[in-house]
């Protein structure tokens, strides 16, 4: 495993980490979750990503059970939660958003579900136009000072909103966000590469990037249609299927040439896509998702491909996806 600093903080995260969205508590039960987390751990993964909203709290509950089963020393791994959407199926107004009330109560609930004394990362899952940013910054600062969270950050916030949070934290002498969690993959790049460019130097922010395979599309598996049981067939995720496959399958069309290039390198398409994300130095960790152990085994080996990434290879990929 390779370890990278989370931006300018002293926190060293494994370059590949493991997340629970869609899978934990839906496609994956306790024994599979245990097997995958143990596999990740054995391969040096030290960051597990979660959120209050994933399967309405079930994903955190399951991860908490597995962390307790596996007894990893608490100081040897990091775990996150994300606040905003709420855990309830139909959250009432105080059960969601970034008000002081929900940020603090959401943290207490995540600690309980994950069965840990503190969260290493606590992220605002989306911006909340209904809450002044000063209130959210102050709530996060309180949690840091209480030792309930160690670092806080944002997820999918526009750069302007992140600037606002920094300005507020500076004015109030409070802890500022140190991490953003954006989507980043071969098909979705603009925010990380352009919009956020000023944030890395100005504030030393790191990124924990999500959907490196665009929900599986970049494994190449959807080129022959949508396999039964895969993420895009999950009930309730029809919106994701439409988004991932794109208008008239334009996105699926774009990735059709990746498998041949991956084969040339002796790798799978998924490994190629994951390794490509790691070539961006502003990526602190790539959060992997997997519904099966063999997927995770394969994806963890993406690191082996990194030494083959030179400028010529990157340019070939650019041409394929142009
Ligand atoms: P990916 O884009 O890598 O998608 C993972 C899914 O792709 C798997 O569950 C599996 O789905 C399929 N897959 C994975 N590996 C392979 C393989 N080798 N071959 C074929 N299919 C494969 O990542 P996620 O979208 O899961 O994102 C990773 C994590 O990021 C999440 O778990 C979550 O923690 C975080 N996240 C954060 C968000 C945010 O807003 N902050 C939003 C989304 C995710 P299947 O087998 O079901 O087809």
């Amino acid at each position: 495993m390779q370890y990278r600093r989370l931006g300018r903080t002293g926190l060293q995260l494994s370059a590949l980490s493991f997340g629970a969205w869609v899978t934990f508590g839906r496609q994956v039960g306790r024994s599979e979750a245990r097997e995958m987390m143990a596999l990740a751990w054995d391969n040096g993964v030290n960051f597990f990503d979660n959120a209050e909203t994933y399967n309405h709290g079930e994903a955190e509950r399951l991860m908490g059970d597995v962390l307790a089963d596996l007894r990893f020393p608490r100081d040897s791994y990091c775990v996150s939660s994300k606040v905003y959407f709420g855990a309830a199926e139909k959250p009432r107004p105080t059960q969601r958003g970034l008000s002081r009330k929900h940020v603090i109560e959401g943290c207490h609930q995540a600690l309980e579900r994950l069965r840990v004394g503190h969260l290493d990362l606590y992220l605002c899952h989306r911006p909340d136009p209904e809450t002044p940013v000063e209130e959210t910054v102050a709530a996060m600062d309180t949690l840091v000072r209480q030792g309930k969270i160690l670092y806080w950050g944002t997820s999918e916030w526009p750069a302007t909103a992140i600037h606002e949070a920094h300005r507020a934290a500076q004015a109030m002498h409070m802890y500022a966000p140190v991490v953003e969690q954006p989507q980043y993959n071969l098909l979705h790049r603009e925010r990380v590469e352009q919009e956020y460019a000023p944030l890395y130097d100005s504030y030393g922010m790191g990124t924990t990037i999500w959907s490196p395979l665009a929900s599986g599309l970049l494994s190449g598996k959807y080129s022959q249609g949508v396999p039964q049981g895969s993420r895009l067939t999950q009930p309730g995720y029809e919106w994701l299927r439409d988004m991932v496959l794109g208008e008239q399958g334009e996105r699926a069309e774009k990735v059709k040439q990746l498998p041949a290039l991956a084969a040339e390198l002796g790798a799978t398409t998924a490994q190629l896509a994951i390794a490509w994300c790691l070539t961006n130095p502003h990526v602190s960790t790539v959060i992997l998702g997997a519904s099966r152990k063999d997927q995770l085994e394969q994806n963890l080996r993406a690191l082996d491909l990194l030494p083959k990434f030179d400028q010529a290879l990157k340019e070939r990929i650019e041409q394929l996806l142009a």
Side-chain angles (χ1 to χ4, degrees), residues 18-23 27 48-51 54 80 82 85 123 125-126 154-156 181-183 185 208-217 219-222 227 229-232 234 240 268 270-271 274 286-292 294-296 298-299:
F18 185 43
W21 182 49
V22 187
T23 52
Q27 292 169 286
F48 299 100
D49 183 65
N50 223 317
Y54 293 169
S80 68
K82 297 189 281 291
F85 292 105
L123 309 182
H125 213 156
R126 293 293 180 269
T154 57
S155 179
E156 295 294 350
Q181 186 169 119
Q183 181 176 179
N185 56 53
T208 57
I209 65 111
W210 59 269
S211 283
L213 298 180
S215 275
L217 178 71
S219 70
K221 71 199 238 179
Y222 294 121
S230 59
R231 177 177 294 184
L232 301 192
Q234 295 301 310
L240 184 68
T268 66
Q271 289 166 338
I274 292 165
V286 172
I287 313 175
L288 303 176
S291 65
R292 297 200 316 257
D294 61 293
Q295 293 175 346
L296 185 59
Q298 181 192 131
N299 299 351

Side-chain angles (χ1 to χ4, degrees), residues 243-294:
M243 204 170 81
V244 168
L245 297 182
E247 294 278 311
Q248 276 84 47
E250 198 187 300
R251 282 156 59 88
E253 214 37 59
K254 271 195 171 183
V255 302
K256 276 198 172 148
Q257 298 185 63
L258 289 174
L261 177 57
E264 224 182 274
L265 299 164
T268 66
T269 317
Q271 289 166 338
L272 177 70
I274 292 165
W276 176 88
C277 295
L278 285 168
T279 62
N280 183 331
H282 296 300
V283 168
S284 314
T285 183
V286 172
I287 313 175
L288 303 176
S291 65
R292 297 200 316 257
K293 193 177 166 197
D294 61 293

Side-chain angles (χ1 to χ4, degrees), residues 3-151:
Y3 296 88
R4 297 181 173 191
R5 280 174 68 190
L6 180 66
R8 271 206 295 265
T9 73
L11 188 68
Q12 302 264 351
L13 292 183
S14 49
L16 297 176
S17 44
F18 185 43
W21 182 49
V22 187
T23 52
F24 276 40
R26 171 185 280 263
Q27 292 169 286
V28 166
R30 187 156 172 168
S31 67
E32 298 102 324
R34 185 188 161 121
E35 266 195 293
M36 288 198 280
M37 285 179 66
L39 173 74
W41 170 262
D42 289 342
N43 280 274
V45 166
N46 75 355
F47 170 45
F48 299 100
D49 183 65
N50 223 317
E52 60 177 6
T53 186
Y54 293 169
N55 289 316
H56 305 296
E58 263 323 296
E60 289 188 340
R61 235 170 256 121
L62 179 54
M63 189 174 272
D65 289 346
V66 171
L67 286 170
D69 281 353
L70 291 171
R71 296 175 186 230
F72 300 146
R74 181 64 187 94
D75 56 356
S76 66
Y77 70 86
C78 299
V79 67
S80 68
S81 180
K82 297 189 281 291
V83 61
Y84 172 75
F85 292 105
E89 283 204 29
K90 289 186 184 157
R92 290 165 181 253
T94 54
Q95 293 179 308
R96 65 188 307 279
L98 298 178
S99 65
R100 175 188 297 276
K101 180 168 172 68
H102 186 58
V103 166
I104 290 187
E105 289 175 346
C107 175
H108 293 163
Q109 288 158 8
L111 291 174
E112 214 168 282
R113 286 189 294 261
L114 287 162
R115 299 163 71 172
V116 290
H118 64 271
L119 300 171
D120 300 279
L121 305 184
Y122 192 39
L123 309 182
C124 301
H125 213 156
R126 293 293 180 269
D128 180 4
E130 306 278 331
T131 303
V133 72
E134 290 80 4
E135 180 174 334
T136 304
V137 170
M140 287 293 186
D141 181 79
T142 300
L143 290 170
V144 173
R145 288 176 201 274
Q146 291 175 338
K148 290 181 181 163
I149 65 172
L150 302 188
Y151 301 91

